[in-house]
Amino acid sequence: MRVAAGAQVLTTPAALTCYGYDSSFIAGRAGAVVLASSARQVRAVAAWSYRRGIPLVPRGAGTGLAGGSVPMAGSVVLSLERMNAIVHVDQAERLATVEAGVVTADLHRRAEAMGLFYPPDPASSDASTLGGNIAAGAGGPRGLKYGVTRGYVHGLDLVLPGGEELTLGGGVAPGLCHLFTGSEGTLGIITRAVLRLIPRPEYRVTMLAVFDVLEDAAHAINDIMATGVVPSTLEIMDQASIRCVESYAPSGLPLDAAALLLIETDGMEKTARREARAVIAACRQRNARQVHTAANPVEAARLWKGRKAIPAAVVRVRPVKISEDATVPRSRVPEFIVRLHEIGHRHRLPLFIWGHAGDGNLHPNLVAHPGDPDELHRAQAAVADLFAAALELGGTLSGEHGVGLAKAPFLPGQAGPPGIDYMRRVRRAFDPRGLMNPGKIIIEG
Amino acid sequence: MDLSPELRRQIALCSRCGTCRAHCPVFGELLEERAVARGKVQAVAALGRRELAATKEIREFFDLCLLCETCEAGCPNGVEVHSLVQAAREEMARARGVGIGGLVLGVLASARRLEAAARLLRFYQWTGAQALARRSGLLRALPGQVGPREDLVPPVELPTLARRYPGVIRPAGRPRFRVAYFTGCMSQAVMTGTGTAVIEMLLLCRAEVVLPPQACCALAIWASGQSRSARRMAEAHIGNFLATGADAIITGCGSCGHMLQRYGELCNTQKAGEFSSKVVDVSAFLYQAGLPEPDVPVSLCITFHDSCHLRRGMGVWEEPRRLLHRIPGLVLAEMDEPDRCCGGGGAFVITHYEVARRIGRRKAKAIQATGAQAVVTGCPGCRVQLSHALRIHQHPLPVYHPVDLLARSYQQQG
């Protein structure tokens, strides 16, 4: 297969195995893999695949949680991981021009070294690519105050199905940029992005509030927001998560707590401290047993350690982890948590809840044994119930992971037939032959 | 490939999060998923499901790993990647044979063969054949970058350490410890000065040093998938070293030490466990044994490179730095990512020269940026690769073992 001079083409069994998965529990097998090093090569691959009628699956680092970059049989995986240059950071304009394959944490580091800040910080930042973040509509704990990736996309260079190039942004049809943010590789391939940066917050206060009653913690979230303070982070961990993570990587979290809130305020030192005081008062008002404030960055890192280790800890209970990001309006979080526990109970499955509670974006995680068909079946049923509960509470299937393959069967339940039809028409407008990442977001046929 | 319950457990621990992409030095250069641990883990799973077979491509795929364990240190789920890669390599060796490279490693299997190999190499270097080969352009003319690889061959120093010393070396005064010194191939026949310095420093701590009969630690043979041969070599060492009744088994090489610590698991006997529990790196031993304060100044600005197997394998990184800190006049300028692999990886630098060269270039740049006059590292394997990387980066610096500098600082006391 010769498609573009310079692009490496892999067709051997090991390569096809290595590009058949992402961080979800879904796996597939590509027909071939192309490692592109330039937009020119991407163009050539897109033109070639369209001419031949071969489905194309763009891929960043393969750290998605919804199967968005998992190839359907016979498709060509177009990997952008080699396009990893931070082209330019404009300090005066606070804009970063990056290739699609730049690792998120690399931009974090570069920006922070210049006194700037790129807020979106999905949990996979160390490995994930910015192109993948944009395509998935990635979020992260800082989303509450700073918003998610969508808010930072200023311009995009795209290769459309068929190989045509398109540059969006800079005041030209800026709304179209947002159409591509969260499009999961179904409309075109992002090769380069111009991202907004903001000044780096000078000070940060990290707090851990301990609650004896789960509902109190859930209500405290709304109480905090009602004070007018917008914390930069407002994370919840339920008791199952606390106990699980403490048995795996002890960091001194209280095992008898029903729930913990990990909260950060940031900005100018004075403001951040004042806001922290308001947060602490709101937590105490809601019967927080204790609110611990980190005295320094080392202590703050210790408080974060437990939260960050939860995903690794729960797979020790049972290896198949079904990680969801169903999101509900903030005011419905208390109710949602109650419903989630009922669902875990009903299907007799270990359920762990943590996540970005401040913006209603919870991460209910179910774990199951791979060798137990009955348990896997119950897990599927539980996921369906979980989505139904989120939608009933006026929420959405996905806060930040995207729809991909994992949630495609549930999307009609949220979007309804007109919604699906409209999405399909938008998609056809860009991709009349249906060759861009087929089977993702919308199930065809 | 049949997967043991333990291998299945390890595979199940991998949640495919991809964090290994942020750590793998090979991925850092090649930028493709085939290099990273996640890919290896999924490929072992696929071998178990018979979706992949023991082909030449799969063998090469599993050979593309430094066994540096950087991914493991960064893995949030604690997957023992090296065990999975090793199991796959054993399967490849079983199904496809060990190949010429694997057979060549056989010279390392006994003290006699090792001595003979050292003499042969010494002959090549002393007769001027090496100089001739280098000057004549013959090496450049050979295919497959034989020329640059040949630069990696360090000068052999004869006689070997074993022939320079008696079996037991006594300190001045009443011995406080009895230790057995595992020299490793490099200190035995190449960097014999370092081997001598190790012995001198141990004597300074009033340790009685025993030099039992020994060959290669077996890491290279083990890593090539020949675990049965490795086990035979391990058993010989276990017998010889335990017979000395030593309190500790000292190594001056991170890779040897890490391998010796693995004997317990490899041989799965009580004696092997006892042997492994006694293995201590020389810097850690000297630090704990209370080496007297050095007094001869060594005016040198150095930077310290952490060997993967010394730091992540044996957990030693503070002790050598603290020992060096005591030397008057010595300044330590830390480089960026001192624990990033240098790209040596034993046979890896020979089998994957181009990747190793690129990893080495990154290391050489980090070293150069410190402005240090010399590099110090606790592993002779790293030493060879670092010297080579610095030479081709046009920034040739001497590379020392910590004991080399310690020995200089104690010269007048000894």
Side-chain angles (χ1 to χ4, degrees), chain A residues 12 23-24 61-62 248 316, chain B residues 16 21 30 33 38 57 76-77:
Chain A
T12 55
S23 298
S24 70
Y248 165 66
R316 306 225 156 209
Chain B
R16 295 177 302 280
R21 291 171 63 98
L30 297 183
E33 186 76 20
R38 178 169 66 164
E57 186 233 353
N77 298 15

Side-chain angles (χ1 to χ4, degrees), chain B residues 58-82:
Chain B
I58 299 297
R59 157 180 261 166
E60 287 168 359
F61 168 80
F62 282 107
D63 282 345
L64 185 67
C65 171
L66 286 154
L67 292 178
C68 66
E69 301 177 24
T70 317
C71 54
E72 293 183 29
C75 176
N77 298 15
V79 180
E80 278 177 26
V81 182
H82 77 272

Side-chain angles (χ1 to χ4, degrees), chain B residues 318-366:
Chain B
E318 283 184 311
E319 295 92 333
R321 286 180 169 82
R322 288 193 182 161
L323 286 174
L324 290 166
H325 187 70
R326 291 187 191 168
I327 299 175
L330 199 80
V331 178
L332 172 62
E334 290 281 3
M335 69 178 93
D336 190 29
E337 299 185 289
D339 61 343
R340 192 180 178 95
C341 181
C342 64
F348 187 92
V349 60
I350 306 292
T351 54
H352 298 82
Y353 180 76
E354 184 51 30
V355 188
R357 190 187 62 78
R358 284 158 66 179
I359 298 173
R361 182 176 54 195
R362 191 188 289 244
K363 192 59 140 176
K365 280 186 186 166

Side-chain angles (χ1 to χ4, degrees), chain A residues 105-266:
Chain A
D106 286 343
L107 181 62
H108 285 154
R109 278 188 285 268
R110 176 74 74 87
E112 279 162 45
M114 299 172 79
L116 296 170
F117 189 49
Y118 177 69
D121 62 338
S124 57
S125 296
D126 283 342
S128 71
T129 64
L130 290 163
N133 291 167
I134 297 166
R142 295 177 195 148
L144 176 59
K145 178 170 178 177
Y146 294 104
V148 295
T149 304
R150 185 178 305 276
Y152 295 86
V153 180
H154 184 79
L156 291 175
D157 279 5
L158 302 148
V159 171
L160 298 178
E164 214 178 323
E165 267 188 302
L166 176 65
T167 296
L168 294 174
V172 181
L176 278 178
C177 256
H178 284 183
L179 191 61
F180 277 86
T181 310
S183 65
E184 303 189 39
T186 61
L187 304 182
I189 303 147
I190 299 162
T191 56
R192 191 180 267 219
V194 181
L195 299 170
R196 284 177 49 221
L197 305 172
I198 62 172
R200 191 178 64 191
E202 70 167 38
Y203 198 79
R204 179 174 297 147
V205 183
T206 307
M207 292 156 279
L208 188 74
V210 184
F211 291 87
D212 290 324
V213 180
L214 177 63
E215 284 72 19
D216 281 344
H219 286 293
I221 296 161
N222 289 293
D223 295 353
I224 292 167
M225 298 306 289
T227 63
V229 170
V230 184
S232 57
T233 292
L234 180 35
E235 298 279 306
I236 194 167
M237 290 172 255
D238 73 348
Q239 188 172 51
S241 306
I242 300 164
R243 291 191 171 170
C244 183
V245 78
E246 275 298 304
S247 69
Y248 165 66
S251 64
L253 299 180
L255 291 172
D256 58 338
L260 300 174
L261 293 180
L262 181 64
I263 312 156
E264 286 188 336
T265 58
D266 69 358

